[in-house]
Amino acid sequence: MKMYENSVNEDMVALLEKGKKDGAETIWDRTEKMKSQCGFGVKGLCCRNCAMGPCRISPVPGKGADKGLCGATADVIVSRNFARMVAAGTAAHSDHARGIIHLLHKVTPDGDYTIKNVKKLKKLAEQWEIDIKDKDIYEIAHEVARVALDNFGKPFGEITFPKSLPRARKELWRKEKIIPRAIDREVVSLMHATHIGCMADAEEMLKMALRTAISDGWAGSFMGTSVSDILFDVPKATKTESNLAVLEENQVNIVLHGHEPSLSEMIVLAVSDKELIERAKELGAEGINLVGMCCTGNELSMRHGTKNGGNFLQQELAVITGAVEAVIVDVQCIFPSLAELSKKYHTKFITTSPSARIAGATHIEFDEDTAYKSAKKIVLEAIENYKNRRRENVYIPQNQTNFMVGYSVETIVEHLDRVADENEKGTLMPLVKAIAGGSIRGVAALVGCNNPRIKQDENHIKIAQKLIENNILVVATGCSAIALAKAGLASKGASKIAGGSLRNICEALDIPPVLHMGSCVDISRILRLSGDVANLLNVDIAALPLAGAAPEWMSEKAVAIGMYVVASGIDAWLGVLPQVTGSEKVVNFLTNDVEKITGAKFFVETDPIQTADQIIERIEMKRGNLGI
Ligand code: SF4
Ligand code: MSK
């Protein structure tokens, strides 16, 4: 009997059936094979932080070991394990940001990468008090990059935060001693504290983890998004299509998967290269069809309107269509299984990053110094593979969904200008008024991944539907945004299922009730929106009727995100139980005591309708406290 249901999407179920006939293995097969999970691991009770271990603590009091060899208790082990997840998640987002900032530091007017948004560059420079008078924009860019890079390893002081961070929040972090000093420093300090013989106080461990996570959200991710906008432009509202039906029968199909826009922005140029299109035609294809996946898919859709093939759990299904010439990847959320799976089909699995080399893949390292040439080489590899497609084994689903993408804060403001009073143009004031007046009851962020232990996309969709029915505006990023796009909720037509007052606002602003704001790193756009609204109202973020939810999360990045969301004063709902239940103290801190420090806490709820109900209740409570 099957333990886990696979997907809400019939096309995906059909592809899984095809995969079975083809003898292909997918994540659902591996989930079944994994059978019951390790009981110690599920509760976070296993420690192998030193070679006296592994040690595991019995979850049953009085039975078996109640301490590790060094004397570490369940509280210590669980909190250390959780903290390590935060460190890894912060490292992933922030290393991504560092890569983009290094790119900004070497950008030249005649290079492959140029500055696409001078306004945003100058604004950031001004915020950071960089003297821009009489300076060339590339000189300014290099100085901005220097200041940004300092935030990773500055030896003294605090991180330079964006203006959107309300002063009250910053003061609170200072008072609670969770204000981050530098990104790398926080990751290193946290890892140090988890070493044997260091931190053995669960609450202090989790406070350190909060500090590290803040450096992810308000620095690493924030700078990653800002610098991407400077280099590749601020996303604008764009219509595009989602799901694997976006693959083309008679074109070279390239699936681009991962996270880093430095690669995707060059691949997008390379697929329009005349020479390469010519070569594709020589081989009998009508053209080259670029399809994004996961967060790279989001980056591409929001800046170029590139079609999106799907989210995390669709990466193997893309190969199973038999219609994909190449899956090109960079970093994060890439199944190593793609190496073996693609050999069953004609697909080339091409890795490009030294940080994510995968045995069995074709590795063509992407070189930023010769970016366009390098991207062309990678795309050519895909084109040359077109002749190997086995047409008798191709199945491309037929159902695609239109959706809107590209709701950066700047674009939201442009839409708000449609209804703004003259003196409020260019600000978020109309949104503030709609929230204060009650036509928008609050704003909920749906973020995070898919997880094979949950029917793909189901929780994202059910929660979003219920929230918009109740006049709560949904903002979404990452794989959640893709789930909602596939379900039609990120299209303007979805406003017909929204509550009456939200529907009226959506129609007046010409927006969908679910705003697709980009990739995982772009949760920083949501932080910015929250901070800017709080600043306009002169309150702290914790006072606002906001909520965050990661209904199908799986990655360590999601743990870091949850922690920085809570540290920012926004409640966070998790639809998958984190591996912390081995310690009552840790559970109690995350779901209770942390609220005394940050004004927000975690809720763990696996039922999507209950989740939506709880979000609505907390949002109404916050409205009541604000007297609105
Ligand atoms: Fe065991 Fe302590 Fe070593 Fe962990 S750090 S493996 S609990 S002895
Ligand atoms: S890609 S971290 S599966 S959202 Fe950003 Fe999706 Fe989660 Fe990866």
Side-chain angles (χ1 to χ4, degrees):
M1 200 183 73
K2 273 206 324 198
M3 279 161 40
Y4 299 103
E5 290 189 273
N6 33 50
S7 176
V8 292
N9 191 300
E10 281 172 19
D11 285 339
M12 298 313 111
V13 178
L15 274 168
L16 272 172
E17 289 305 315
K18 175 180 187 296
K20 274 207 168 54
K21 278 189 211 128
D22 294 346
E25 181 194 84
T26 67
I27 188 165
W28 287 279
D29 299 314
R30 295 188 292 277
T31 309
E32 294 287 337
K33 270 191 210 159
M34 199 61 73
K35 296 223 162 40
S36 59
Q37 294 170 287
C38 164
F40 297 94
V42 163
K43 290 177 180 287
L45 284 168
C46 177
C47 180
R48 48 174 193 81
N49 288 11
C50 85
M52 294 189 284
C55 298
R56 48 188 212 176
I57 307 296
S58 167
V60 185
K63 268 197 171 180
D66 64 347
K67 291 185 193 73
L69 266 61
C70 65
T73 60
D75 296 335
V76 173
I77 291 173
V78 172
S79 63
R80 279 197 308 217
N81 288 342
F82 187 78
R84 283 191 169 204
M85 291 183 90
V86 174
T90 301
H93 279 147
S94 302
D95 215 31
H96 165 156
R98 190 200 321 263
I100 307 258
I101 298 165
H102 270 292
L103 191 55
L104 184 71
H105 192 253
K106 61 184 175 189
V107 73
T108 57
D110 52 359
D112 287 348
Y113 300 100
T114 53
I115 305 288
K116 294 268 171 43
N117 197 307
V118 176
K119 196 171 155 198
K120 189 143 184 174
L121 171 70
K122 287 189 173 169
K123 212 165 168 188
L124 190 57
E126 276 164 15
Q127 273 196 27
W128 284 349
E129 294 169 4
I130 294 169
D131 180 14
I132 60 171
K133 210 165 140 254
D134 302 328
K135 278 188 187 152
D136 170 76
I137 58 161
Y138 284 82
E139 208 181 324
I140 299 170
H142 300 157
E143 282 191 41
V144 163
R146 282 276 357 158
V147 175
L149 288 170
D150 280 349
N151 269 335
F152 287 84
K154 64 160 75 162
F156 306 108
E158 295 166 355
I159 275 173
T160 310
F161 290 101
K163 264 203 169 142
S164 302
L165 177 66
R167 189 192 303 221
R169 186 74 0 203
K170 197 158 143 185
E171 289 308 325
L172 177 87
W173 290 344
R174 273 194 192 127
K175 183 174 123 271
E176 296 293 341
K177 297 194 172 45
I178 55 170
I179 195 147
R181 300 151 298 177
I183 302 164
D184 289 352
R185 182 170 179 189
E186 297 312 342
V187 173
V188 169
S189 293
L190 192 60
M191 288 303 288
H192 175 188
T194 67
H195 191 273
I196 179 179
C198 286
M199 183 69 84
D201 180 317
E203 286 180 13
E204 291 303 318
M205 180 88 266
L206 294 170
K207 280 173 77 174
M208 278 190 91
L210 282 171
R211 182 170 65 185
T212 306
I214 295 168
S215 78
D216 173 350
W218 286 93
S221 293
F222 218 101
M223 293 191 302
T225 295
S226 300
V227 173
S228 294
D229 284 356
I230 290 167
L231 284 170
F232 311 123
D233 213 355
V234 173
K236 301 256 182 313
T238 312
K239 190 175 176 182
T240 184
E241 293 158 23
S242 65
N243 228 347
L244 284 169
V246 301
L247 295 172
E248 294 287 347
E249 203 171 329
N250 297 314
Q251 294 196 34
V252 173
N253 287 310
I254 297 176
V255 173
L256 194 50
H257 169 29
H259 281 79
E260 297 195 329
S262 43
L263 171 73
S264 53
E265 287 289 321
M266 277 302 132
I267 298 282
V268 101
L269 289 180
V271 296
S272 304
D273 185 282
K274 273 195 190 137
E275 197 188 327
L276 291 181
I277 294 174
E278 233 8 83
R279 180 63 189 146
K281 288 186 173 162
E282 274 169 26
L283 293 171
E286 286 170 5
I288 308 168
N289 182 37
L290 181 64
V291 170
M293 184 152 278
C294 281
C295 280
T296 278
N298 289 329
E299 299 276 358
L300 282 169
S301 299
M302 67 183 173
R303 293 205 176 83
H304 302 282
T306 305
K307 296 168 188 174
N308 190 300
N311 47 6
F312 183 61
L313 284 181
Q314 274 161 284
Q315 50 190 296
E316 289 172 321
L317 301 178
V319 175
I320 289 173
T321 62
V324 174
E325 273 55 57
V327 176
I328 301 169
V329 301
D330 48 42
V331 292
Q332 300 169 18
C333 306
I334 297 145
F335 292 172
S337 66
L338 289 174
E340 198 185 311
L341 179 72
S342 50
K343 291 200 169 79
K344 271 211 160 301
Y345 296 83
H346 79 298
T347 308
K348 281 239 165 178
F349 177 44
I350 304 174
T351 53
T352 61
S353 166
S355 301
R357 293 201 59 158
I358 295 175
T362 303
H363 186 73
I364 309 177
E365 197 138 313
F366 178 63
D367 178 6
E368 282 172 359
D369 294 330
T370 55
Y372 188 60
K373 200 168 143 216
S374 190
K376 273 182 76 173
K377 187 174 168 200
I378 295 166
V379 170
L380 185 62
E381 191 82 11
I383 294 170
E384 295 297 334
N385 197 22
Y386 184 71
K387 54 184 178 297
N388 298 322
R389 193 189 290 183
R390 284 176 273 140
R391 295 199 167 262
E392 69 287 358
N393 195 27
V394 167
Y395 168 69
I396 301 176
Q398 293 303 307
N399 301 310
Q400 66 207 48
T401 316
N402 291 335
F403 71 105
M404 295 297 300
V405 61
Y407 293 96
S408 53
V409 176
E410 290 85 342
T411 298
I412 292 173
V413 168
E414 273 173 28
H415 281 265
L416 291 170
D417 277 353
R418 290 165 180 248
V419 297
D421 294 343
E422 209 44 51
N423 61 339
E424 289 169 353
K425 287 211 187 292
T427 74
L428 290 165
M429 211 52 204
L431 176 65
V432 171
K433 282 181 171 172
I435 295 173
S439 42
I440 293 178
R441 305 300 297 170
V443 182
L446 290 195
V447 305
C449 330
N450 292 137
N451 186 317
R453 303 189 189 282
I454 295 173
K455 193 173 185 180
Q456 187 200 14
D457 297 347
E458 186 168 67
N459 285 4
H460 294 294
I461 296 168
K462 284 188 172 168
I463 295 170
Q465 275 169 341
K466 179 126 203 214
L467 292 177
I468 63 174
E469 278 164 23
N470 283 277
N471 297 307
I472 291 172
L473 179 70
V474 171
V475 291
T477 62
C479 289
S480 181
I482 301 171
L484 302 178
K486 286 184 290 176
L489 295 171
S491 72
K492 291 181 195 166
S495 58
K496 66 177 183 292
I497 67 157
S501 55
L502 178 60
R503 179 165 63 236
N504 290 343
I505 299 235
C506 289
E507 284 168 5
L509 300 180
D510 193 30
I511 57 169
V514 171
L515 298 180
H516 186 319
M517 291 186 78
S519 61
C520 311
V521 160
D522 291 329
I523 295 173
S524 63
R525 297 189 199 277
I526 302 174
L527 291 182
R528 180 179 159 196
L529 190 71
S530 314
D532 287 352
V533 168
N535 285 336
L536 275 174
L537 283 167
N538 210 11
V539 296
D540 181 27
I541 296 174
L544 298 175
L546 305 176
E552 302 178 23
W553 73 277
M554 61 83 204
S555 73
E556 289 167 318
K557 289 182 292 173
V559 179
I561 291 166
M563 287 291 268
Y564 74 61
V565 166
V566 167
S568 303
I570 302 171
D571 294 325
W573 275 258
L574 301 177
V576 177
L577 192 63
Q579 295 129 344
V580 294
T581 53
S583 163
E584 230 171 85
K585 210 175 223 169
V586 171
V587 172
N588 191 43
F589 181 86
L590 296 174
T591 60
N592 208 355
D593 288 352
V594 66
E595 193 176 11
K596 292 180 208 136
I597 300 172
T598 69
K601 61 182 180 177
F602 282 96
F603 293 74
V604 178
E605 178 54 68
T606 53
D607 180 275
I609 299 302
Q610 295 277 343
T611 302
D613 285 340
Q614 290 166 14
I615 290 175
I616 294 165
E617 197 186 317
R618 286 285 283 193
I619 278 182
E620 291 302 330
M621 184 197 87
K622 297 228 169 172
R623 294 187 65 87
N625 293 345
L626 273 175
I628 56 174

